[in-house]
Amino acid sequence: MRPAAGVWLARPGTARRAEGLIRAEQMRLLLGNMGSSLLPTIAVASLLLYTLATPANVAGLRLWCGAVIGSKCFGCWDARRILRGRIGPWRAYRLERWMLALTAIDGAAWGALAWTGFDPTSTANSILVVAVLSGIVGNAMSMLSPVLSVFAIFCVFELGALALKAWSLDDLPFRTLSLAVVVYFLSLLSQGRNSARAARAAIQLKFDNIGLIRQLRIESDRARQALHAAEQANLAKSRFLAAASHDLRQPIHAQGLFLEVLARSPLNDKQRTVLASARAASEASADMLHTLLDFSRIEAGVIEPQIEAFALQPLLAKLESELAPQANAKGLVYRTRDSGLALCSDRSLLELIVRNLVTNAVRYTEQGGVLVACRRRGAHAVLEVWDSGIGIAPEQQEEVFREFHQLGNPERDRQKGLGLGLSIARGLAQLLGHALTVASRPGRGSVFRLAVPLASMPALSSPTSPALLALDAPARGALPQRVLVIDDDAIVRVSMQQLLAGWGCDCQVADGIETALTLAHTWRPDMIISDYRLREQRTGAEAIATLRAQAGTPIAALLITGDTAPARLREARASGVPLLHKPTSPEQLYRSMELACAQRSPTFVHGRGRGTPTAEPVLHPQGTDPSAAPSLLDPAA
């Protein structure tokens, strides 16, 4: 693609090349016009030969006719030859000189009519010759004016010959005709200049448009490349987070289980104090990992809201009882305005949104307080979380909803979280179709508003969701007697075996599917607990399905994973096996084992008690995960 002339002119040292580009287009336009005049030239020259021929001038007119037709034929052939090649900027100047020579010959050939066919004694002859030569030069303007110099040289030779012939007759009328021809020539030259300027402007506009299109393509390519790079960076970030999260979850999961085993051991007061500190550190690490898990679940699109009508006040009371101590510890006032409204939403997901908003308010407020209120606005209730904190600048009010974006935390203090709370809140609000907005003034505080549809029916009287009821249904103590644990991490196998043994289970461990199959031939398990990602690209879902097929019975099973990659979450969900996420608390593991046994075997009998049959529980808003405590994406938290 040729660059725009305007682009060349804008660069030092390229003005001549830019002019050459324009001149090349002018020459291309001129040469393209040459063929249109061939047939008219042959017709007019032949007609004039027939009309003007007399015994005295027939030889000269024949020579003139042959010269005119020959000149025109050669010019058309040469134009087609040149157009088949490339007309570059530097060739254009040479072509212009060549066309000046050819056009001068063509003009002289036509002008020779005034000397060979002009009869001053015949008025009709004089009028015909003058009219034809005037018409030919007028027609030439439309063909030759793209290059003004070429048109001018044609006029000089053609009209010059006519003017000289008229002046040479030494008669006043003819000398007046000669002066009129000169005036006509100047008039044509002026019009030709205007036509040449218009052609040049059109060529310039063409180049400018080409340049703009080229620039647009370049910018589009850059935008596509930037988008691709951003997508790749986002994928790399997700893969890194998933890999880092998985690798961190393994030891923290095992640590939590070992701490539970240690807590059941005889310890003195000093050792129990150290154990409590170790548990607090482990829980803090687990909290951050569960926040990453919540974010990954939203990205994976595996959260399915369970919409219901419920009263708002129990949710507000619960949040105040749990979060007010955090505000009090910082010397803040935590207030909640009572509300009698009933909402239509997912109770657990709405609680997580408001919890994140309140936690964020407490985190970024150093004096004053936090207010949680709800107002009726038409068919919606607007939940508001006010704070008197540091506030948010206008240009940052959308950025705060971006993942890992934090204000006033350049040192990445873990006590200020990971910068995912508001991102999770916005993602869940979009999933539920609730509008989440913020208004703020730096140094004065902020207010986050969440618009939730009002319930069109009475709210459920109990604040406990069906998921929570399902999790609480089994009786304590209904654990399987034989448990097979499959995990490729040795420390996790040891911690699980010790914990389950402490719960009275006969636990065997395997590091892969083949080992598990060999063990199950002679030792049939009542439950399988498998890590989701095993060696050699195999999965826990595959292991459970294989063991069930070998046993010929639907053995109770749980999947445990440290993966947070969206694709893995979707795969695990599709397996239909309840999914726990590392680090899993011992309490959560215990209750999930109860549930899995109860839903698999209504008459399951353990040596220490009998379970209670239940309908298949809703373990998680996604329908798959009861384990993310203390994340509120898990109703059991």
Side-chain angles (χ1 to χ4, degrees), residues 285-526:
S285 301
D287 286 347
M288 287 189 283
L289 289 174
H290 286 310
T291 301
L292 287 173
L293 175 61
D294 291 344
F295 178 70
S296 297
R297 285 169 174 158
I298 295 171
E299 281 196 328
V302 298
I303 300 177
E304 294 181 0
Q306 305 296 320
I307 304 299
E308 60 177 335
F310 60 91
L312 175 61
Q313 184 56 37
L315 186 150
L316 298 179
K318 177 183 178 183
L319 290 175
E320 181 174 7
S321 66
E322 295 178 7
L323 300 179
Q326 297 180 21
N328 295 338
K330 294 184 67 175
L332 304 176
V333 176
Y334 186 108
R335 291 181 55 202
T336 302
R337 287 183 181 169
D338 292 345
S339 174
L341 298 177
L343 308 183
C344 186
S345 183
D346 183 296
R347 185 199 317 270
S348 298
L349 299 184
L350 184 67
E351 179 180 340
L352 179 56
I353 294 172
V354 181
R355 180 184 293 272
N356 281 341
L357 296 179
V358 174
T359 301
N360 185 75
V362 172
R363 182 174 291 144
Y364 288 97
T365 302
E366 297 302 327
Q367 59 182 1
V370 175
L371 171 67
V372 182
C374 186
R375 306 170 186 267
R376 180 191 293 270
R377 289 290 184 270
H380 288 76
V382 179
L383 272 164
E384 299 177 339
V385 178
W386 296 76
D387 68 67
S388 56
I390 61 175
I392 307 169
E395 64 274 11
Q396 291 286 328
Q397 289 181 11
E398 278 301 314
E399 290 295 305
V400 295
F401 292 106
R402 185 165 53 85
E403 61 268 22
F404 303 107
H405 184 84
Q406 288 184 302
L407 299 177
N409 189 21
E411 70 281 4
R412 304 303 295 180
D413 182 359
R414 71 172 180 84
Q415 293 184 352
K416 295 183 179 180
L418 297 173
L420 286 175
L422 293 180
S423 176
I424 290 171
R426 171 62 67 86
L428 291 176
Q430 291 174 345
L431 178 67
L432 293 169
H434 303 342
L436 177 59
T437 58
V438 60
S440 183
R441 292 178 61 186
R444 299 292 299 274
S446 307
V447 55
F448 288 83
R449 294 185 173 94
L450 180 68
V452 184
L454 289 167
S456 57
M457 61 188 71
L460 299 177
S461 58
S462 171
T464 307
S465 69
L468 286 173
L469 292 174
L471 285 171
D472 288 335
R476 294 289 283 184
L479 291 183
Q481 187 170 7
R482 294 183 173 187
V483 181
L484 174 58
V485 174
I486 308 172
D487 201 301
D488 55 7
D489 191 299
I491 191 171
V492 173
R493 293 197 300 272
V494 172
S495 61
M496 286 287 287
Q497 191 168 32
Q498 291 187 12
L499 179 66
L500 294 175
W503 289 347
C505 301
D506 179 7
C507 179
Q508 296 292 327
V509 297
D511 60 1
I513 295 178
E514 287 72 17
T515 307
L517 288 171
T518 302
L519 183 61
H521 269 299
T522 56
W523 185 85
R524 177 173 173 177
D526 300 319

Side-chain angles (χ1 to χ4, degrees), residues 42 55 85 128 156 159 207 266 296 320 329 398 406 458 463 548 632:
I42 295 173
L128 179 61
V156 166
L159 294 178
F207 277 136
S296 297
E320 181 174 7
E398 278 301 314
Q406 288 184 302
R548 284 175 172 174
L632 279 197

